[in-house]
Amino acid sequence: MFRIDIDPSAIASVLEENLRNHAVELGVDEVGNVLEAGDGIALVDGLPGVMAEEMIVFPNGIFGMAMNLERKQVGTIILGDYSRIEQGDRVRRTGKVLQVPVGEALLGRVVNALGQPLDGRGPIVTPDYRLVETDAPGITDREPVHRSLLTGLKSIDAMTAIGRGQRELIIGDRQTGKTTLAVDAILNQKPGDVRCVYVAIGQKMSTVASVVSTLEARGVLQNCIIVVARASDSAPLQYIAPFAACSMAEYFRDKGGNALIVYDDLSKHAVAYRQISLLLRRPSGREAFPGDIFYLHSRLLERAAKLAPAKGGGSLSALPIVETQQGDYSAYIPTNLISITDGQIYLENELFYQGFRPAINVGLSVSRVGGKAQTAAMKKVAIKLRLEFAQYRELAAFARLSADMEKTTQDQLNRGARIAEVLKQPQNSPLSLPLEIAVLWAALRGHLDGVPIPDIARFEREWIRYLEASHPEIGAEIARSEDLTASTETSLETAIGQFKTLFLVTGIPV
Ligand code: ATP
Ligand code: MG
């Protein structure tokens, strides 16, 4: 008989060895179930290991993001068509925190909050992705704002100058020119120097279309990324959009370049976040907004920064927009944003209807850091402008009460009215720094005193045209030196003297 000797202890040791080396690999592909879905929110169970802000996938490739991690279930937001998600659907983890494509490939494109193209110009191919929520640069990674970000709008560049890396709030009622002002600032950026990101949150499609066509018509769309979460998109997409757009802008900042981001607007963003929070049953506070709404917006706006040379020296400036109801800037969201940002440009209904456009209320508008970054040329003009304009407004308030005034008061009022007129600017026509200086200088030096108010806009247009055609060297000198030296002023005096005689010949009293 054939016989095999079996040693039980040998078998045990082999088994033991096998067990020891047997590694249990737990993948992140946990699969859960939708318990409840609707209004852009889904409650999910069966995802015990999911991370906060991790992307999850619903059927049909619809993405979601984990927001509320609870013991037995996870509250998620749906970043897509939520009407296609039902109770009982399977949901899978991805193991990745939400990220969006970034890079040069996005320039000139219109994308949604996930960076997917909306403009029908084909897919966006880029090797770079960034997290939607990232930490803002720390104090030591920054340096003080020291270069100005010119908007091309005389009143802003002179009175509430914005610096690169600054956050300046644009605040005003409905239809007071908020979007136009921000778009003008984008139009004024030289392609390649400052990259621009415009993010529309809860806007009408017609507004977005007109912004895109303005940028395209001026040939600056190639310098911009447009991120769109329309009013008809779900609240989660509107909530994500500014963060995603900020990541796209940060790409340029971190490569040592300059970027400008416009958030249009954060009131609608706050409303979208309130909707999500209420549906996720988070506790609500003032005006039913969740308690962390201040933190949400400060987290977003802290990402605007001027980086130190050691970090590449790049900058990201932000122009958040907030809408007020009947001029009430002390409401919850506006006051939050006023305290987070480095200043505000306050647009006023009454001025807008008086035709004073851009309708900036100079008294209520401030810029806390930009003044330091102003060019020497603009500083020289701005100091005088601010003083004369403040005196004029005070005098004008008195003048309404008394009929007869001294000659000097009358002169001051005349000059002030002309300065006010010069601060008006048509939309979509930003001016270069030398031209801004030349126009403001002319008004402050009294060269417009004899021009009737209705002719001032034309005087300004023709003065600019004359300077560009006959004395380009003056503009070139101001642009080069960024200063208004005594010799440049003399050249300006000569030039305006010649220009005024031309005007006299053409019949306009100067
Ligand atoms: P909404 O509250 O609807 O977002 P808004 O405050 O963004 O409005 P805009 O859409 O920018 O305002 O402008 C409102 C209207 O005012 C537009 O028709 C625009 O053409 C006009 N407008 C804005 N600025 C100027 C300007 N400087 N000169 C002339 N018209 C202007
Ligand atoms: Mg608008």
Side-chain angles (χ1 to χ4, degrees):
M1 263 247 327
F2 191 70
R3 186 167 174 271
I4 305 169
D5 273 337
I6 299 171
D7 178 1
S9 68
I11 295 177
S13 73
V14 169
L15 280 175
E16 229 172 75
E17 185 67 22
N18 268 343
L19 277 175
R20 201 172 301 125
N21 291 336
H22 180 76
V24 181
E25 286 214 357
L26 274 184
V28 287
D29 44 348
E30 285 171 18
V31 177
N33 293 303
V34 174
L35 298 175
E36 215 182 297
D39 290 327
I41 301 293
L43 291 181
V44 172
D45 73 353
L47 298 178
V50 75
M51 302 178 284
E53 292 178 6
E54 180 175 331
M55 272 167 110
I56 52 172
V57 191
F58 293 99
N60 302 315
I62 298 172
F63 284 108
M65 187 175 96
M67 293 274 286
N68 274 14
L69 307 184
E70 293 163 23
R71 266 194 9 182
K72 294 202 174 135
Q73 62 186 29
V74 179
T76 67
I77 54 174
I78 304 166
L79 302 168
D81 182 3
Y82 58 82
S83 64
R84 292 164 70 194
I85 294 170
E86 291 174 354
Q87 189 181 11
D89 278 349
R90 310 286 269 172
V91 34
R92 197 166 45 78
R93 282 182 64 187
T94 62
K96 281 195 246 162
V97 174
L98 188 64
Q99 40 181 290
V100 285
V102 299
E104 266 89 16
L106 279 115
L107 289 168
R109 304 297 304 262
V110 183
V111 296
N112 69 8
L114 297 176
Q116 297 159 335
L118 293 176
D119 51 8
R121 293 185 188 170
I124 293 169
V125 184
T126 171
D128 299 310
Y129 280 77
R130 278 179 84 111
L131 296 180
V132 163
E133 280 259 17
T134 53
D135 280 342
I139 293 283
T140 49
D141 296 339
R142 300 179 183 233
E143 68 173 355
V145 167
H146 62 75
R147 248 190 94 67
S148 65
L149 181 97
L150 293 169
T151 61
L153 293 162
K154 286 163 288 184
S155 46
I156 295 184
D157 291 342
M159 313 259 251
T160 45
I162 302 171
R164 292 187 179 186
Q166 185 176 341
R167 303 152 301 173
E168 183 81 4
L169 183 67
I170 300 172
I171 178 168
D173 279 1
R174 286 192 56 239
Q175 291 286 302
T176 48
K178 304 184 294 299
T179 303
T180 308
L181 197 148
V183 169
D184 282 354
I186 293 179
L187 289 179
N188 197 45
Q189 304 314 315
K190 276 195 219 81
D193 178 22
V194 181
R195 306 293 200 184
C196 303
V197 179
Y198 172 85
V199 46
I201 310 154
Q203 299 292 317
K204 294 189 296 275
M205 206 50 213
S206 59
T207 310
V208 181
S210 92
V211 169
V212 174
S213 68
T214 307
L215 296 176
E216 195 157 29
R218 297 302 178 102
V220 295
L221 188 62
Q222 285 313 315
N223 194 40
C224 305
I225 303 173
I226 315 286
V227 182
V228 182
R230 292 160 302 181
S232 56
D233 284 329
S234 67
L237 282 172
Q238 294 184 39
Y239 158 67
I240 285 297
F243 290 94
C246 188
S247 298
M248 294 172 192
E250 278 175 338
Y251 169 85
F252 301 109
R253 178 197 74 189
D254 292 349
K255 287 200 107 186
N258 298 294
L260 165 68
I261 184 162
V262 173
Y263 301 106
D264 192 4
D265 65 54
L266 291 185
S267 343
K268 308 231 170 45
H269 183 243
V271 169
Y273 187 56
R274 173 170 65 185
Q275 185 181 329
I276 293 172
S277 301
L278 291 174
L279 287 166
L280 286 171
R281 303 203 182 89
R282 290 181 173 185
S284 57
R286 194 173 149 190
E287 293 177 27
F289 286 107
D292 65 345
I293 187 103
F294 183 94
Y295 176 52
L296 178 84
H297 283 156
S298 64
R299 213 161 70 210
L300 175 68
L301 293 168
E302 275 300 306
R303 290 163 71 176
K306 171 77 187 81
L307 294 183
K311 289 283 166 183
S315 75
L316 171 59
S317 319
L319 291 178
I321 296 179
V322 67
E323 183 184 304
T324 50
Q325 310 287 333
Q326 295 176 341
D328 180 15
Y329 54 89
S330 59
Y332 187 33
I333 302 300
T335 37
N336 277 356
L337 288 167
I338 287 173
S339 56
I340 293 168
T341 48
D342 312 303
Q344 74 271 356
I345 295 167
Y346 184 76
L347 299 175
E348 206 172 80
N349 242 330
E350 206 176 308
L351 291 172
F352 189 85
Y353 292 121
Q354 285 167 7
F356 192 93
R357 299 174 190 179
I360 300 172
N361 178 323
V362 177
L364 289 178
S365 301
V366 286
S367 170
R368 285 187 266 278
V369 290
K372 289 188 207 90
Q374 260 178 337
T375 56
M378 192 50 103
K379 255 187 207 141
K380 286 182 185 164
V381 175
I383 291 170
K384 200 153 186 273
L385 179 68
R386 229 176 271 133
L387 192 70
E388 291 232 2
F389 199 62
Q391 280 174 349
Y392 162 68
R393 292 197 319 149
E394 223 165 272
L395 274 181
F398 271 113
R400 271 188 230 140
L401 305 173
S402 75
D404 50 8
M405 279 172 289
E406 287 171 25
K407 170 93 173 54
T408 45
T409 317
Q410 189 64 55
D411 288 347
Q412 229 172 342
L413 278 172
N414 277 346
R415 170 86 49 95
R418 277 152 186 84
I419 292 172
E421 200 61 26
V422 147
L423 290 178
K424 290 181 184 174
Q425 200 161 330
Q427 58 182 333
N428 304 340
S429 48
L431 292 176
S432 65
L433 175 76
L435 296 177
E436 287 182 317
I437 301 276
V439 170
L440 293 173
W441 171 88
L444 291 166
R445 280 295 161 121
H447 290 293
L448 299 180
D449 289 357
V451 184
I453 300 260
D455 289 329
I456 292 211
R458 195 152 69 88
F459 182 99
E460 178 183 337
R461 270 198 312 275
E462 297 187 6
W463 166 226
I464 287 173
R465 212 177 307 145
Y466 175 79
L467 262 186
E468 283 182 322
S470 309
H471 293 281
E473 75 287 353
I474 302 183
E477 175 55 23
I478 298 178
R480 190 197 60 77
S481 65
E482 297 192 337
D483 201 354
L484 188 63
T485 55
S487 78
T488 315
E489 279 204 66
T490 319
S491 320
L492 275 172
E493 288 286 355
T494 321
I496 204 157
Q498 293 161 353
F499 171 70
K500 284 204 282 192
T501 51
L502 283 175
F503 246 74
L504 280 173
V505 172
T506 51
I508 293 181
V510 176

